[in-house]
Every structure is written in structure tokens, then in C-alpha cells.
Amino acid sequence: MKLEGIFDLPLHTGRVPPWLAIIMKRLSRAIIDVMVMEWGPDKVVERLSNPLWFQAFNNAIGMDWDSSGSTTVTLGIMKEVVDPLEHGFMILGGKGEKAREVPNEALRAEEVLGVNSGELIRLSKLIAKSDTVVIQDGHTLYHHSVIISESGKWAVIQQGMNLSTKLARRYHWHGTLDLSRSELISGFKQDFAIDASQNERLKKLVVDLVNERPSKVISEYKKAKAILSGNVPIEYYTRGYEIKFSKKLKIIYGKPVDERKIYEVLQKLYETKPKNLEEVLLNGLGPSTAKALYLISDLIYNEPPSYEDPVKVPYDPLKYALAHGGKDGAPIPINRRIAYEVIHTLEEIIEKAKLERHNKELALRKLRELYSGRAEEGT
């Protein structure tokens, strides 16, 4: 998998007015048509997976530059205007209940685009787990979209909400169905989070732990909780490494945990005998159980996750909002005249390009027919 980036956005309320929705749909359709003709569907999927490029696209069609709706509204509009047969890619899922439609929509993607629906469903579940279990940053996912091209290139864009900070966080993933992995992250940094994505030894240890008897894991979790509170057994001081129980760790792990539920999850995982972290995630590992395993890994086995928020601050994408303005008038109100001038210009370019392509194909077909006729006369 390839995590292209994370972008933080303030929570905004309100709806897109009907007159603006028309503009946004026509602009989106025109821009997508041009991109597909110029780059092809694979490159469009790749560009959409980049958080800054996606934000620029959102701004160019008239959505607020700093709104959480830049994810939900933009992807909703794109889903309406993208024609998989014409454009060579498809958008699945969406906000809330629409995210649950991915499995059914994956079957249609297989029918229309010829992609493997089973792999697509597995990919969707795995990435949703990655941003709730492997990375735990206080944001609850409420939007999940999968973008897939006819060649199998994919992007996943999902968004979580943090009510305490009033920020929505957007996660961008990109890759192919072989699940190759690297990452680039951008957004606004919080004080701390859990990020287990970079420590390969920790990942292996998590797999080893869930293959242990659940009672043993729970016992080690209780030891780790005791160490966290400052009750460090004397034998741990002879191991040659530092036992950490910082204030940050206490804040992260201090919330009450239902050990019975953790035991149930561990029992289920123990019975499935997962061989790698992907199988652990797909077989039921949730945030609470994962957090318990990370604490054990840190305080018992000295293999901690990162406690730094895995986000770097990018340059300000505000300049892209100057193209047509924003829904709520920030940084400038929407200029309908300019927006429609751009729409008409793009649509004329698209029609001309389609006509030229049609004439070129017609000429080639006539040339083939002429050549074929002369070849037959010569035989």
C-alpha cells in the first residue's frame, strides 16, 4: 500500500446551493474529461491520491479551500459525473452509509472495468483498518471512497472526524493491487498519536502476540499497565533498557479498557492463526485491542510504536481557491460569470478534441479499407 498523505480540515456545516452544484458538476466533468484525454485514467487516479493536488481540484471547482466538505462534496460530485465506460475509472463508496456500499459496487467495477472485486473489497477493508488501528490519531472515519482504474491502479480517500479539535482529517492512499507500500504524509500536527506503521519489528511482534494464548496476552497487558502506573517489577531493571511511563503514555493508554472484550477479540484471532499483520487486521483486530498490544510491545518487549502524529505541514493551498472563489465566500465569493466562461471554454476544447479524434479514426478506417481493397485487386 502507498499512503500518499494526510490533510486536516476544519469541520464546516451547511449545504452547497443548487446553482453552485450545477457549476461544480460541469466544471468537474470538464476537468476530468481533459485529464483523461491528456493523461489517461491511471494518471488521473494517481493525481487524485495526492492530497495537495486533490485540494487544488476541490478549490478549482468552487468548494471552500479549508472545509471538511472538500472531501465529501467533491468526491460525491465526482462520483456523479464520472462515467466508468467513458473515463476508464470508477469511484466507489462515499460518506456514512455509502461507504458500506463498496462491496456491492466492487462487483459492478469487476463487470464494467474487469478488475478483481475480491481484491478490491480486501483492499478497502485493509486500508480502513490501517487508519483506525495501525494509526490511531483521534479521528473516527466517516467517509471512505475507493477510486479504481480499468488497469487495476487504485486510490483510497477517507476522512475521519475529531470532535474535540473540530478538525476533519483526510487520508490518501495509492498503489496497485499487489499492496506495495511507501508513504508521504502532510497536514497539521497534533501533540501525540499512535503510529505503528513504521516499526517492522513491532508489526511482527503483534502477529506473534495474537498467536499466543489469550490468557497469556491479558496477563502481559496487566503487567504493562502496572509498569505504566510506576509499579515496575525489579527484574525489569536488569534487562538493560529503559522502562518508560511518561505523561504522554499515560494520556494515550490511560482510558478504561474492557479486558473481557479484548479477550474475545484475542480468542478469535488466536483461532484464525494469522500469518501477517494484514491477516490480523482483516480477522478482527480493533483499535482497543491493538492499543493493548502496542502497550505490551513497548513496556514488556521494548518495541514501541511512534507516539508522534505522523503528519507534516505542507504549503498553504489557499492560492488555488482564487480560481473561482469558495462556497462560503472565502477567500472570495464565487464569480458565476468567470466560472461559466471557464466551463464553456473547456467544453468547447473537449468537443473539438473529440471531433478531431473521430475524424482521425474515420480517416484511418478509410485508409485501411482502401489498402485492403487494393490488396485484394492485386491477388
Side-chain angles (χ1 to χ4, degrees):
M1 289 172 291
K2 186 177 183 182
L3 176 55
E4 284 289 348
I6 298 175
F7 209 92
D8 285 342
L9 298 159
L11 296 176
H12 279 204
T13 57
R15 295 180 176 274
V16 176
W19 64 265
L20 180 54
I22 295 172
I23 290 175
M24 293 174 73
K25 288 177 184 179
R26 289 183 66 179
L27 274 173
S28 296
R29 173 68 191 228
I31 294 172
I32 290 168
D33 283 346
V34 171
M35 290 193 302
V36 170
M37 285 191 295
E38 185 70 20
W39 299 331
D42 286 354
K43 193 66 176 179
V44 175
V45 173
E46 180 183 332
R47 289 296 179 91
L48 291 172
S49 73
N50 183 299
L52 297 179
W53 197 95
F54 181 91
Q55 196 65 26
F57 179 91
N58 157 83
N59 296 342
I61 65 173
M63 193 59 194
D64 299 322
W65 74 276
D66 64 342
S67 167
S68 58
S70 65
T71 308
T72 57
V73 173
T74 300
L75 283 166
I77 285 175
M78 288 183 65
K79 189 173 182 179
E80 285 189 44
V81 303
V82 168
D83 182 344
L85 290 173
E86 179 180 349
H87 295 123
F89 73 96
M90 182 175 173
I91 299 176
L92 292 63
K95 180 180 177 182
E97 289 299 318
K98 291 182 180 179
R100 303 181 187 276
E101 297 174 7
V102 168
N104 291 330
E105 292 175 336
L107 296 175
R108 180 168 179 263
E110 181 170 37
E111 179 183 345
V112 175
L113 300 177
V115 297
N116 187 315
S117 61
E119 285 294 299
L120 198 55
I121 294 168
R122 183 176 71 91
L123 174 77
S124 169
K125 291 179 179 178
L126 185 58
I127 291 182
K129 283 282 190 175
S130 295
D131 286 333
T132 54
V133 177
V134 179
I135 295 177
Q136 298 188 32
D137 55 13
H139 293 76
T140 303
L141 294 184
Y142 69 96
H143 182 105
H144 177 82
S145 290
V146 180
I147 309 171
I148 183 75
S149 77
E150 55 194 359
S151 71
K153 294 295 178 65
W154 58 266
V156 174
I157 302 174
Q158 47 193 20
Q159 185 158 288
M161 182 184 300
N162 187 324
L163 292 177
S164 62
T165 62
K166 304 299 181 184
L167 287 175
R169 174 166 291 187
R170 190 169 68 229
Y171 308 81
H172 290 250
W173 294 81
H174 174 62
T176 58
L177 291 181
D178 64 0
L179 299 181
S180 59
R181 183 188 178 283
S182 63
E183 75 174 334
L184 167 66
I185 302 177
S186 59
F188 299 110
K189 191 177 285 292
Q190 299 179 153
D191 291 335
F192 46 79
I194 294 176
D195 177 12
S197 65
Q198 302 304 304
N199 189 334
E200 296 300 323
R201 292 189 301 273
L202 168 61
K203 294 177 186 178
K204 184 178 183 302
L205 181 56
V206 167
V207 176
D208 291 341
L209 285 171
V210 298
N211 279 284
E212 293 280 357
R213 288 180 291 102
S215 57
K216 180 180 178 181
V217 180
I218 292 294
S219 176
E220 293 201 325
Y221 175 65
K222 291 178 178 179
K223 289 181 184 177
K225 289 284 286 185
I227 293 171
L228 187 67
S229 66
N231 300 319
V232 183
I234 188 65
E235 63 266 24
Y236 282 85
Y237 286 108
T238 65
R239 294 191 176 188
Y241 59 79
E242 178 186 1
I243 299 296
K244 299 177 296 183
F245 38 91
S246 66
K247 181 180 179 181
K248 179 185 293 188
L249 286 182
K250 288 183 178 180
I251 293 174
I252 292 173
Y253 293 105
K255 294 182 179 179
V257 173
D258 188 339
E259 293 179 6
R260 290 174 300 176
K261 289 185 177 180
I262 292 178
Y263 184 91
E264 291 173 3
V265 173
L266 290 172
Q267 182 64 41
K268 178 183 175 182
L269 288 167
Y270 178 71
E271 291 170 357
T272 62
K273 300 297 180 185
K275 299 179 180 64
N276 52 50
L277 185 60
E278 287 185 13
E279 292 184 8
V280 173
L281 293 172
L282 293 174
N283 281 299
L285 183 67
S288 296
T289 304
K291 192 179 291 187
L293 296 176
Y294 298 152
L295 182 61
I296 295 169
S297 300
D298 187 352
L299 299 189
I300 305 297
Y301 296 98
N302 199 32
E303 287 295 347
S306 169
Y307 296 108
E308 299 298 322
D309 191 347
V311 174
K312 297 177 182 177
V313 180
Y315 66 87
D316 191 344
L318 172 61
K319 62 181 180 181
Y320 298 111
L322 299 174
H324 302 108
K327 174 178 71 72
D328 293 340
I332 57 175
I334 296 287
N335 188 316
R336 300 192 199 191
R337 180 182 61 81
I338 293 177
Y340 276 109
E341 284 180 3
V342 172
I343 289 171
H344 293 150
T345 300
L346 287 174
E347 290 177 345
E348 286 178 9
I349 292 171
I350 293 163
E351 287 304 313
K352 184 178 179 182
K354 288 181 178 178
L355 181 61
E356 289 176 351
R357 184 172 60 188
H358 173 74
N359 290 338
K360 182 179 179 180
E361 291 173 353
L362 182 62
L364 288 172
R365 185 166 67 250
K366 288 184 175 180
L367 184 61
R368 284 193 296 269
E369 291 172 356
L370 179 63
Y371 177 79
S372 175
R374 288 184 175 178
E376 289 178 0
E377 290 176 3
T379 58

